């Protein structure tokens, strides 16, 4: 059990640092492209890992650790909510549809590879 926790923690360290840096660099424009990128890439990556059928330790490291820490549901919700309360309901809806549509599509493509 301890090795599973270590696998998730080590992967999570990598994913969290990647998310921080990507968001810092790309969340400065009209849309938070950093959040969109990390969530899209994470969706593809988790689909791909699931399709590979790796052993449990490697699945925990890559999918739960790296991809789990790379993606960010809470930041996505904050961004959507911010658009909504600022009266940008169209942008909130568009960003939501784009994020979830792209994420599902990329997870499917990753799994199929």
């Amino acid at each position: 059990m301890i090795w599973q926790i270590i696998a998730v923690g080590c992967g999570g360290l990598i994913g969290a640092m990647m998310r921080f840096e990507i968001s810092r660099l790309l969340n400065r424009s009209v849309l938070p492209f950093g959040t969109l990128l990390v969530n899209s890439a994470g969706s593809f990556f988790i689909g791909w890992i699931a399709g590979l059928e790796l052993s449990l330790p490697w699945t925990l490291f890559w999918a739960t650790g790296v991809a789990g820490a790379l993606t960010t549901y809470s930041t996505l919700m904050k961004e959507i909510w911010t658009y909504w309360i600022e009266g940008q309901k169209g942008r909130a809806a568009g960003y939501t549809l784009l994020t979830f549509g792209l994420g599902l599509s990329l997870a499917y493509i990753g799994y199929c590879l």
Side-chain angles (χ1 to χ4, degrees):
M1 180 64 158
I2 189 70
W3 292 110
Q4 293 174 345
I5 294 169
I6 292 170
V8 172
C10 290
L13 174 69
I14 294 166
M17 290 187 304
M18 289 170 50
R19 179 181 68 212
F20 173 78
E21 190 62 16
I22 291 167
S23 294
R24 186 183 68 79
L25 293 171
L26 299 178
N27 278 359
R28 300 179 186 178
S29 61
V30 177
L31 281 177
F33 288 109
T35 304
L36 182 62
L37 177 62
V38 297
N39 287 333
S40 299
S43 296
F44 172 82
F45 193 61
I46 287 176
W48 185 55
I49 295 300
L52 290 177
E53 298 180 7
L54 298 174
S55 65
L56 180 60
W58 285 111
T59 299
L60 291 172
F61 175 82
W62 289 111
T64 306
V66 175
L70 176 66
T71 58
T72 173
Y73 186 78
S74 57
T75 300
L76 173 65
M77 294 302 111
K78 182 204 84 61
E79 291 164 351
I80 292 168
W81 180 248
T82 299
Y83 286 142
W84 190 268
I85 62 173
E86 289 176 350
Q88 300 179 56
K89 292 179 172 53
R91 181 172 282 171
Y95 182 49
T96 302
L97 292 172
L98 175 64
T99 299
F100 284 96
L102 194 57
L104 286 170
S105 298
L106 289 170
Y108 176 74
I109 291 167
Y111 181 80
C112 290
L113 292 176

